[in-house]
């Protein structure tokens, strides 16, 4: 079942900590994705 | 979460949790009684000595055991903070320590000798590897003392090393509150709330809520302590939005609120153990295992 | 309850026996973790296997049947899986069809997806870690290098994944990688199943970059922003990416959707690489032939 049980809408979140990481060179080059971070913590919250 | 080892092996009702502690204590107490009886039979003791023995070598009660466990769990927190370990690893160390003494009695294993082993195994389990030698340099005991109970600890943990802590849910709710209360929350205020709640979570992990509630429920309880109005508003809006879609798996708002308030009172009523109390209990624990010293 | 009847393998940190679960007669494998050799107590690989297999129950991930201590050794009781994809690829007497390959890829990706949705990175996917049950079901195994998806600021070691299956971001030494590294490994395994020879067999870590970029083109900032910020980028030989015709020639038996599926998994930029869901929902699995029934595969 790949239908997620919650809506993830990045535009709604203001997370200065994650936003900062997202623009760092080594994070961009590594393939860092903010949606993966948000999905992880929202899953743990709604679990 | 229901597939997780944390739910399958380490979630209890209050009654079941109490029952486990009573069982663990009874097994150890029976051994103590037997050993003291053997000791009396082997020794030629005066009546006065027998009276002292009876007075000072009673096995620990369940509540006294719990006090000693909580006292040393606090030490695990302090030592791992002193080692500058990341928050989640401190939480895992505390969790490992408490679980060990849910399965074993302090009358079987001296809690002092598990403090460093739990921190060491938590570091390994969380991929924060510190070699035992460098660990022994930073911490007090030698490498043999650290490794002595590693196996026993792993077995007592029922080999469940992955722990879901309430920190990630805190981050998740920090985001979702912005979503549900969009435009109605001040971000700086949210940031301060986040930091305060993060500290409170570590305190909460020292209590029994980790066995009685799920990580997100603990997080919501702590958020509720921090700002009842905000969280109540958030939950009302969130669940009222869902309640239009009458689908069978909608979580009932009132049920969740009851659980959160139940968890909240658990966290708030927790009392810390004084060093004096701990010392007395530790002395009794020592003498009931070493009557000759007495 | 468990017997150890025949020694079938020995690794750095464990000895593997075939055995039987007495109460049910079920064939099992017992992975006996050697403990005396390790100066730091329990070996990290054993800790990881125990930690992650305890959390995962899925038809395409090896089942941890039980764990017990015996004579100071830790014993993992695992389901009995008599073969693996490496054996299949190497044994020329075994003929398999595109439908068989599709079935193996589907099962592998279901197992990998289950790990990823539990926020677990496997970090060592390769043909001989994809075991086969007696009825032909693929099971992802060997979680000795696995780890939970890290907290955002955490640094990860790039020295993971067996070299030939190592994603380019790891070759560059990335420290903030994601589950995309596992998908790259699955892409290389797919290529190897079609070619029946290793697709990117580097002799060493430097050569691995050379072999990878010669086959798939050297990434540039254009399609992979900041790739040039990696320390080892400047010494690279620049190769053009292969044209679709070159890929067609290289993978003659592959359909357009199969090539597209492979290129999705072997996308250089990890941010654009397909994730497990995109792979599972791709046209490749919807077009003919349907994936074989695992129990029918010879």
């Amino acid at each position: 079942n790949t239908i997620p049980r919650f809506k993830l809408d990045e535009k709604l979140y203001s997370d200065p900590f994650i936003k900062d990481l997202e623009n760092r060179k080594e994070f961009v080059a590594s393939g860092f994705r903010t949606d993966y971070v948000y999905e992880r913590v929202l899953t743990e919250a709604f679990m | 979460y229901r597939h997780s080892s944390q739910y399958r092996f380490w979630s209890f009702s209050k009654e079941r949790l109490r029952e486990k502690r009573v069982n663990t204590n009874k097994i150890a107490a029976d051994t103590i009684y037997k050993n003291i009886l053997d000791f009396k039979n082997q020794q030629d003791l005066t009546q006065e000595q027998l009276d002292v023995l009876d007075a000072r070598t009673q096995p620990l009660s369940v509540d006294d055991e719990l006090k000693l466990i909580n006292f040393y769990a606090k030490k695990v927190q302090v030592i791992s903070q002193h080692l500058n370990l990341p928050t989640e690893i401190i939480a895992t160390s505390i969790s490992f320590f408490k679980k060990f003494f849910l399965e074993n009695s302090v009358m079987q294993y001296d809690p002092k000798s598990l403090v460093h082993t739990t921190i060491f195994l938590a570091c390994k389990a969380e991929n924060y590897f510190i070699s035992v030698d460098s660990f022994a340099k930073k911490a007090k005991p030698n490498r043999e003392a650290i490794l002595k109970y590693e196996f026993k600890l792993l077995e007592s943990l029922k080999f469940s090393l992955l722990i879901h802590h309430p920190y990630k849910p805190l981050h998740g709710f920090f985001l979702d509150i912005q979503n549900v209360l969009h435009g109605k929350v001040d971000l700086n205020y949210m940031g301060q709330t986040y930091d305060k709640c993060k500290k409170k979570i570590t305190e909460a992990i020292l209590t029994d809520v980790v066995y009685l509630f799920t990580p997100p429920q603990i997080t919501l309880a702590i958020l509720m302590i921090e700002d009842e109005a905000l969280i109540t508003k958030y939950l009302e809006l969130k669940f009222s939005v869902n309640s239009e879609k009458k689908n069978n798996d909608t979580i009932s708002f009132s049920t969740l609120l009851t659980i959160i308030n139940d968890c909240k009172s658990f966290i708030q009523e927790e009392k810390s153990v004084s060093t004096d109390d701990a010392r007395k209990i530790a002395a009794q624990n020592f003498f009931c295992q070493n009557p000759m010293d007495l | 309850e468990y017997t150890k009847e025949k020694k079938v393998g020995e690794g750095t940190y464990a000895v593997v026996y075939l055995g039987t679960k007495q109460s049910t007669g079920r064939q099992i494998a017992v992975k006996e973790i050697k403990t005396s050799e390790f100066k730091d107590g329990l070996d990290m690989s054993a800790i990881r296997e125990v930690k992650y297999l305890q959390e995962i129950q899925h038809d395409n991930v090896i089942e941890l049947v039980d764990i017990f201590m015996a004579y100071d050794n830790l014993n993992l009781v695992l389901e009995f899986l008599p073969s693996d994809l490496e054996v299949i690829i190497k044994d020329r007497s075994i003929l398999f069809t595109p439908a068989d390959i599709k079935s193996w890829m589907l099962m592998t990706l279901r197992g990998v997806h289950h790990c990823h949705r539990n926020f677990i990175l496997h970090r060592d996917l390769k043909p001989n870690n994809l075991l086969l049950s007696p009825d032909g079901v693929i099971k992802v195994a060997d979680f000795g290098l696995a780890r939970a998806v890290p907290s955002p600021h955490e640094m990860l070691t790039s020295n993971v994944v067996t070299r030939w299956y190592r994603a380019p971001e790891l070759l560059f030494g990335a420290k903030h990688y994601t589950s995309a590294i596992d998908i790259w490994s699955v892409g290389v395994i797919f290529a190897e199943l079609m070619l029946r020879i290793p697709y990117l067999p580097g002799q060493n870590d430097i050569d691995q970059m050379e072999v990878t970029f010669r086959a798939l083109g050297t990434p540039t900032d254009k399609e992979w922003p900041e790739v040039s910020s990696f320390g080892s980028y400047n010494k690279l030989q620049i190769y053009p990416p292969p044209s679709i015709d070159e890929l067609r020639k290289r993978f003659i038996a592959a359909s357009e959707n199969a090539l597209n599926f492979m290129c999705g998994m072997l996308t250089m930029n990890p941010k654009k690489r397909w994730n497990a869901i995109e792979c599972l929902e791709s046209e490749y699995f919807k077009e003919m032939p349907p994936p074989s029934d695992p129990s029918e595969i010879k």
Side-chain angles (χ1 to χ4, degrees):
Chain A
N1 171 10
T2 58
I3 307 354
R5 299 208 16 199
F6 58 86
K7 180 171 50 64
L8 194 158
D9 182 346
E10 283 202 65
K11 295 188 303 300
L12 292 165
Y13 310 131
S14 162
D15 187 327
F17 172 62
I18 301 299
K19 286 286 175 228
D20 163 56
L21 298 182
E22 183 184 27
N23 302 313
R24 287 196 209 165
K25 275 196 173 133
E26 72 271 26
F27 281 79
V28 174
S30 299
F32 178 79
R33 286 178 51 164
T34 51
D35 56 328
Y36 281 7
V37 175
Y38 295 146
E39 188 196 4
R40 173 86 190 280
V41 295
L42 285 165
T43 302
E44 292 270 351
F46 300 146
M47 187 164 70
Chain B
Y1 183 65
R2 289 175 181 272
H3 282 90
S4 68
S5 60
Q6 180 165 333
Y7 177 78
R8 288 181 288 130
F9 305 146
W10 297 103
S11 294
F12 308 109
S13 66
K14 287 174 217 169
E15 298 71 28
R16 177 76 188 103
L17 188 58
R18 179 73 188 171
E19 187 188 316
K20 279 182 74 70
R21 287 190 169 126
V22 168
N23 290 345
T24 299
N25 175 275
K26 184 178 180 320
I27 292 166
D30 288 351
T31 308
I32 297 286
Y33 284 126
K34 184 182 160 309
N35 293 347
I36 295 295
L37 197 60
D38 294 350
F39 176 75
K40 285 177 181 172
N41 296 337
Q42 286 149 13
Q43 307 293 328
D44 176 15
L45 299 171
T46 66
Q47 187 49 49
E48 186 205 3
Q49 284 170 327
L50 284 170
D51 294 347
V52 169
L53 262 180
D54 290 343
R56 301 288 304 276
T57 60
Q58 288 306 311
L60 300 186
S61 68
V62 175
D63 292 330
D64 279 351
E65 259 211 83
L66 192 51
K67 281 182 187 162
L68 202 55
I69 292 163
N70 288 339
F71 179 78
Y72 277 102
K74 187 73 186 161
K75 280 212 176 300
V76 168
Q77 179 195 6
V78 170
I79 292 169
S80 39
Q81 277 169 343
H82 177 69
L83 290 170
N84 270 328
L85 297 179
T87 306
E88 297 225 357
I89 296 179
I90 295 171
T92 299
S93 308
I94 295 168
S95 178
F96 282 3
F97 182 85
K98 284 162 57 78
K99 284 168 180 170
F100 182 85
F101 285 107
L102 199 50
E103 299 299 310
N104 304 283
S105 163
V106 295
M107 294 184 274
Q108 297 162 315
Y109 297 90
D110 180 351
K112 265 198 299 298
S113 44
L114 263 298
V115 166
H116 293 93
T117 307
T118 50
I119 299 172
F120 178 67
L121 184 61
C123 288
K124 277 176 148 176
E126 299 285 358
N127 238 40
Y128 194 87
F129 182 64
I130 303 177
S131 80
V132 72
D133 288 325
S134 54
F135 192 85
K137 245 183 253 134
K138 289 185 186 174
K140 259 206 292 300
N142 58 29
R143 64 192 324 275
E144 286 69 30
I146 292 169
L147 293 177
K148 181 178 178 188
Y149 292 122
E150 189 185 32
F151 257 59
K152 181 62 191 167
L153 172 59
L154 182 64
E155 199 175 31
S156 302
L157 291 172
K158 303 183 176 78
F159 307 100
S160 52
L161 298 173
L162 196 151
I163 302 180
H164 294 274
H165 292 302
Y167 302 102
K168 287 189 182 63
L170 177 64
H171 192 164
F173 286 122
F174 170 72
L175 299 175
D176 197 46
I177 288 169
Q178 293 178 47
N179 170 20
V180 171
L181 299 176
H182 198 62
K184 300 186 189 82
V185 281
D186 165 54
L187 282 180
N188 286 334
Y189 174 74
M190 284 300 295
Q192 289 154 25
T193 305
Y194 178 91
D195 291 339
K196 282 185 226 164
C197 290
K198 196 171 174 190
K199 290 188 183 67
K200 285 206 168 90
I201 285 173
T202 306
E203 294 307 313
I205 279 169
L206 288 158
T207 73
D208 281 349
V209 293
V210 292
Y211 301 121
L212 306 172
F213 301 94
T214 66
Q217 289 164 354
I218 296 170
T219 306
L220 286 170
I222 286 170
L223 280 163
M224 191 69 96
I225 293 171
E226 191 54 39
D227 186 332
E228 176 143 7
L230 175 74
I231 296 309
T232 310
K233 188 75 196 135
Y234 161 64
L235 293 172
E236 270 167 2
L237 274 175
K238 187 165 185 66
F239 287 94
S240 61
V241 164
N242 284 353
S243 61
E244 272 126 43
K245 287 181 296 173
K246 265 285 165 252
N247 52 2
N248 58 3
D249 69 348
T250 306
I251 299 169
S252 118
F253 172 52
S254 59
T255 310
L256 181 58
L257 208 56
T258 310
I259 292 171
I260 293 171
N261 286 321
D262 201 15
C263 181
K264 190 171 146 237
S265 47
F266 235 97
I267 291 169
Q268 290 176 312
E269 80 198 12
E270 183 71 15
K271 289 175 288 305
S272 64
V273 183
S274 73
T275 308
D276 214 27
D277 275 359
R279 191 174 291 121
K280 280 198 204 96
I281 297 167
Q284 183 183 339
N285 190 25
F286 177 77
F287 287 133
C288 73
Q289 297 175 61
N290 304 281
M292 183 52 89
D293 289 67
L294 181 64
Chain C
E1 170 68 319
Y2 302 105
T3 62
K4 293 175 183 171
E5 288 145 22
K6 183 179 149 213
K7 184 169 165 179
V8 291
E10 177 143 12
T12 43
Y13 76 96
V15 182
V16 182
Y17 300 88
L18 279 203
T20 308
K21 182 179 167 85
Q22 305 279 57
S23 55
T24 59
R26 177 185 183 186
Q27 266 200 310
I28 42 104
V30 181
K31 199 168 192 178
E32 184 185 86
I33 312 287
K34 297 180 217 163
T35 51
S36 46
E37 279 100 296
F38 294 100
K39 69 178 187 49
D40 285 311
L42 266 165
D43 180 72
M44 284 296 285
S45 299
I47 296 250
R48 290 189 188 112
E49 285 251 67
V50 167
K51 175 174 180 181
Y52 298 111
L53 286 180
Q54 274 283 47
E55 308 303 321
I56 297 178
Q57 299 94 30
H58 189 274
D59 198 32
N60 297 118
V61 177
I62 189 169
E63 178 193 354
L64 178 60
V65 175
D66 200 345
I67 311 185
F68 62 90
M69 299 288 196
Y71 321 114
D72 248 4
N73 275 335
L74 177 62
N75 292 269
L76 307 188
V77 182
L78 299 157
E79 66 176 308
F80 167 65
L81 300 167
S83 186
D84 64 58
L85 272 195
E86 183 180 48
V87 168
I88 304 263
I89 291 170
K90 283 182 171 167
D91 181 345
R92 290 303 182 155
S93 69
I94 300 175
L95 299 179
F96 49 82
T97 68
D100 299 341
I101 293 176
K102 189 172 290 191
S103 183
W104 290 328
M105 292 308 291
L106 181 58
M107 293 187 277
T108 300
L109 282 162
R110 280 177 174 159
V112 169
H113 171 242
H114 189 66
C115 295
H116 290 176
R117 71 175 160 185
N118 279 287
F119 305 106
I120 294 167
L121 308 178
H122 183 278
R123 302 202 300 180
D124 197 16
L125 292 173
K126 53 184 174 177
N128 70 342
N129 280 342
L130 297 176
L131 307 187
L132 278 155
S133 70
D135 48 359
V137 176
I138 288 270
K139 311 258 182 182
V140 176
D142 195 338
F143 282 73
L145 263 178
R147 71 153 289 154
V149 165
S151 300
H153 57 288
E154 234 178 301
M155 309 266 274
L156 296 166
T157 172
S158 55
N159 187 24
V160 288
V161 187
T162 301
R163 182 184 304 130
W164 294 353
Y165 306 91
R166 201 175 294 164
E169 61 268 32
L170 295 176
L171 297 174
F172 281 125
K175 292 184 173 48
H176 304 284
Y177 51 82
T178 66
S179 50
I181 64 162
D182 285 336
I183 298 299
W184 176 277
S185 306
V186 175
V188 179
I189 292 165
F190 180 50
E192 192 165 324
L193 278 168
M194 290 192 285
L195 298 171
R196 295 202 71 161
I197 54 168
Y199 180 43
L200 301 171
Q203 307 295 320
N204 54 54
D205 291 357
I206 305 294
D207 184 46
Q208 187 61 40
M209 290 175 111
E210 182 65 23
V211 166
T212 302
F213 299 144
R214 194 180 321 125
L216 292 163
T218 309
T220 64
D221 279 340
K222 185 165 162 291
E223 84 267 10
W224 180 351
E226 301 300 351
V227 69
S228 60
S229 68
F230 284 119
S232 47
Y233 186 81
N234 304 321
K235 306 174 202 84
L236 281 183
Q237 177 76 21
I238 303 296
Y239 295 103
S243 67
I244 187 69
D245 278 341
E246 282 166 317
L247 284 172
R248 282 191 193 111
K249 281 196 198 80
R250 189 87 175 77
F251 297 95
I252 294 171
S255 70
E256 285 306 290
N257 283 327
L259 280 183
N260 200 29
F261 171 64
M262 184 185 82
C263 293
M265 293 189 282
L266 298 182
T267 300
M268 282 290 165
N269 181 349
K271 204 162 177 175
K272 294 178 191 157
R273 199 173 301 151
W274 288 11
N275 62 33
I277 290 180
E278 286 162 320
C279 293
L280 285 163
E281 294 185 329
S282 70
E283 286 309 310
Y284 168 65
F285 287 116
K286 294 171 186 160
E287 67 174 4
M288 301 304 281
S292 310
D293 173 343
S295 57
E296 302 295 312
I297 299 176
K298 303 281 175 298

